[in-house]
PDB file of all heavy atoms in Angstrom:
ATOM      1  N   CYS L  14     -43.373   6.939-184.283  1.00 94.00           N
ATOM      2  CA  CYS L  14     -42.402   8.034-184.404  1.00 94.00           C
ATOM      3  C   CYS L  14     -41.049   7.427-184.752  1.00 94.00           C
ATOM      4  O   CYS L  14     -40.785   6.269-184.425  1.00 94.00           O
ATOM      5  CB  CYS L  14     -42.273   8.794-183.080  1.00 94.00           C
ATOM      6  SG  CYS L  14     -43.751   9.732-182.702  1.00 94.00           S
ATOM      7  N   TRP L  16     -38.325   8.323-183.460  1.00 91.00           N
ATOM      8  CA  TRP L  16     -37.598   8.256-182.197  1.00 91.00           C
ATOM      9  C   TRP L  16     -38.553   8.758-181.122  1.00 91.00           C
ATOM     10  O   TRP L  16     -39.287   9.719-181.366  1.00 91.00           O
ATOM     11  CB  TRP L  16     -36.359   9.161-182.290  1.00 91.00           C
ATOM     12  CG  TRP L  16     -35.601   9.329-181.016  1.00 91.00           C
ATOM     13  CD1 TRP L  16     -35.656  10.391-180.159  1.00 91.00           C
ATOM     14  CD2 TRP L  16     -34.667   8.413-180.452  1.00 91.00           C
ATOM     15  NE1 TRP L  16     -34.826  10.197-179.100  1.00 91.00           N
ATOM     16  CE2 TRP L  16     -34.189   8.985-179.248  1.00 91.00           C
ATOM     17  CE3 TRP L  16     -34.178   7.166-180.846  1.00 91.00           C
ATOM     18  CZ2 TRP L  16     -33.267   8.344-178.428  1.00 91.00           C
ATOM     19  CZ3 TRP L  16     -33.255   6.527-180.027  1.00 91.00           C
ATOM     20  CH2 TRP L  16     -32.803   7.123-178.841  1.00 91.00           C
ATOM     21  N   VAL L  17     -38.552   8.150-179.966  1.00 92.00           N
ATOM     22  CA  VAL L  17     -39.434   8.654-178.904  1.00 92.00           C
ATOM     23  C   VAL L  17     -38.667   9.696-178.085  1.00 92.00           C
ATOM     24  O   VAL L  17     -37.694   9.372-177.390  1.00 92.00           O
ATOM     25  CB  VAL L  17     -39.950   7.503-178.011  1.00 92.00           C
ATOM     26  CG1 VAL L  17     -40.790   8.061-176.865  1.00 92.00           C
ATOM     27  CG2 VAL L  17     -40.793   6.544-178.849  1.00 92.00           C
ATOM     28  N   CYS L  18     -39.084  10.942-178.205  1.00 93.00           N
ATOM     29  CA  CYS L  18     -38.400  12.058-177.536  1.00 93.00           C
ATOM     30  C   CYS L  18     -38.504  11.902-176.016  1.00 93.00           C
ATOM     31  O   CYS L  18     -39.498  11.396-175.512  1.00 93.00           O
ATOM     32  CB  CYS L  18     -39.031  13.388-177.945  1.00 93.00           C
ATOM     33  SG  CYS L  18     -39.239  13.554-179.723  1.00 93.00           S
ATOM     34  N   TYR L  20     -39.175  13.755-173.578  1.00 95.00           N
ATOM     35  CA  TYR L  20     -40.211  14.430-172.787  1.00 95.00           C
ATOM     36  C   TYR L  20     -41.605  13.925-173.139  1.00 95.00           C
ATOM     37  O   TYR L  20     -42.597  14.358-172.570  1.00 95.00           O
ATOM     38  CB  TYR L  20     -40.149  15.941-173.019  1.00 95.00           C
ATOM     39  CG  TYR L  20     -40.411  16.343-174.462  1.00 95.00           C
ATOM     40  CD1 TYR L  20     -41.679  16.750-174.874  1.00 95.00           C
ATOM     41  CD2 TYR L  20     -39.396  16.302-175.406  1.00 95.00           C
ATOM     42  CE1 TYR L  20     -41.920  17.107-176.191  1.00 95.00           C
ATOM     43  CE2 TYR L  20     -39.628  16.654-176.717  1.00 95.00           C
ATOM     44  CZ  TYR L  20     -40.884  17.057-177.099  1.00 95.00           C
ATOM     45  OH  TYR L  20     -41.119  17.407-178.405  1.00 95.00           O
ATOM     46  N   CYS L  21     -41.697  12.972-174.094  1.00 94.00           N
ATOM     47  CA  CYS L  21     -42.987  12.634-174.694  1.00 94.00           C
ATOM     48  C   CYS L  21     -43.839  11.761-173.783  1.00 94.00           C
ATOM     49  O   CYS L  21     -43.405  10.720-173.309  1.00 94.00           O
ATOM     50  CB  CYS L  21     -42.780  11.915-176.015  1.00 94.00           C
ATOM     51  SG  CYS L  21     -44.361  11.534-176.798  1.00 94.00           S
ATOM     52  N   PHE L  23     -47.084  11.112-174.993  1.00 92.00           N
ATOM     53  CA  PHE L  23     -48.179  10.686-175.869  1.00 92.00           C
ATOM     54  C   PHE L  23     -48.111   9.176-176.082  1.00 92.00           C
ATOM     55  O   PHE L  23     -47.107   8.540-175.751  1.00 92.00           O
ATOM     56  CB  PHE L  23     -48.096  11.393-177.228  1.00 92.00           C
ATOM     57  CG  PHE L  23     -48.190  12.883-177.122  1.00 92.00           C
ATOM     58  CD1 PHE L  23     -47.148  13.696-177.574  1.00 92.00           C
ATOM     59  CD2 PHE L  23     -49.300  13.493-176.568  1.00 92.00           C
ATOM     60  CE1 PHE L  23     -47.224  15.073-177.464  1.00 92.00           C
ATOM     61  CE2 PHE L  23     -49.384  14.869-176.460  1.00 92.00           C
ATOM     62  CZ  PHE L  23     -48.343  15.661-176.908  1.00 92.00           C
ATOM     63  N   ALA L  25     -46.999   6.964-178.154  1.00 91.00           N
ATOM     64  CA  ALA L  25     -46.103   6.939-179.313  1.00 91.00           C
ATOM     65  C   ALA L  25     -45.065   5.840-179.144  1.00 91.00           C
ATOM     66  O   ALA L  25     -44.599   5.571-178.029  1.00 91.00           O
ATOM     67  CB  ALA L  25     -45.402   8.293-179.443  1.00 91.00           C
ATOM     68  N   GLY L  63     -50.667  12.282-183.574  1.00 95.00           N
ATOM     69  CA  GLY L  63     -49.823  11.152-183.210  1.00 95.00           C
ATOM     70  C   GLY L  63     -49.096  11.387-181.909  1.00 95.00           C
ATOM     71  O   GLY L  63     -49.497  12.204-181.097  1.00 95.00           O
ATOM     72  N   GLY L  64     -47.985  10.688-181.862  1.00 93.00           N
ATOM     73  CA  GLY L  64     -47.192  10.072-182.898  1.00 93.00           C
ATOM     74  C   GLY L  64     -46.817  11.038-184.032  1.00 93.00           C
ATOM     75  O   GLY L  64     -46.880  12.251-183.911  1.00 93.00           O
ATOM     76  N   THR L  65     -46.443  10.445-185.106  1.00 96.00           N
ATOM     77  CA  THR L  65     -46.016  11.211-186.282  1.00 96.00           C
ATOM     78  C   THR L  65     -46.754  10.694-187.514  1.00 96.00           C
ATOM     79  O   THR L  65     -46.228   9.848-188.251  1.00 96.00           O
ATOM     80  CB  THR L  65     -44.493  11.080-186.486  1.00 96.00           C
ATOM     81  OG1 THR L  65     -43.815  11.426-185.277  1.00 96.00           O
ATOM     82  CG2 THR L  65     -43.998  12.008-187.591  1.00 96.00           C
ATOM     83  N   ASN L  97     -44.018  16.037-188.921  1.00 97.00           N
ATOM     84  CA  ASN L  97     -42.662  16.291-188.460  1.00 97.00           C
ATOM     85  C   ASN L  97     -41.929  17.038-189.577  1.00 97.00           C
ATOM     86  O   ASN L  97     -42.067  16.665-190.744  1.00 97.00           O
ATOM     87  CB  ASN L  97     -42.020  14.925-188.196  1.00 97.00           C
ATOM     88  CG  ASN L  97     -40.691  15.071-187.536  1.00 97.00           C
ATOM     89  OD1 ASN L  97     -39.814  15.783-188.023  1.00 97.00           O
ATOM     90  ND2 ASN L  97     -40.527  14.408-186.414  1.00 97.00           N
ATOM     91  N   ARG L 134     -35.154  16.072-180.673  1.00 93.00           N
ATOM     92  CA  ARG L 134     -35.827  16.152-181.964  1.00 93.00           C
ATOM     93  C   ARG L 134     -34.783  15.909-183.042  1.00 93.00           C
ATOM     94  O   ARG L 134     -33.636  16.327-182.911  1.00 93.00           O
ATOM     95  CB  ARG L 134     -36.477  17.535-182.148  1.00 93.00           C
ATOM     96  CG  ARG L 134     -37.446  17.900-181.056  1.00 93.00           C
ATOM     97  CD  ARG L 134     -38.646  16.991-181.008  1.00 93.00           C
ATOM     98  NE  ARG L 134     -39.384  16.966-182.231  1.00 93.00           N
ATOM     99  CZ  ARG L 134     -40.704  16.804-182.316  1.00 93.00           C
ATOM    100  NH1 ARG L 134     -41.431  16.650-181.226  1.00 93.00           N
ATOM    101  NH2 ARG L 134     -41.317  16.774-183.476  1.00 93.00           N
TER     102      ARG L 134
HETATM  103  S1  LIG X 401     -42.277  13.319-182.219  1.00 77.83           S
HETATM  104 FE1  LIG X 401     -43.958  14.002-180.872  1.00 77.83          FE
HETATM  105  S2  LIG X 401     -45.235  12.189-180.511  1.00 77.83           S
HETATM  106 FE2  LIG X 401     -43.272  11.473-181.351  1.00 77.83          FE
HETATM  107  S3  LIG X 401     -42.023  10.976-179.570  1.00 77.83           S
HETATM  108 FE3  LIG X 401     -41.514  13.096-180.117  1.00 77.83          FE
HETATM  109  S4  LIG X 401     -42.936  14.364-178.884  1.00 77.83           S
HETATM  110 FE4  LIG X 401     -43.726  12.238-178.858  1.00 77.83          FE
END
Side-chain angles (χ1 to χ4, degrees):
C14 291
W16 173 260
V17 176
C18 311
Y20 62 97
C21 182
F23 300 120
T65 307
N97 188 306
R134 304 296 302 213

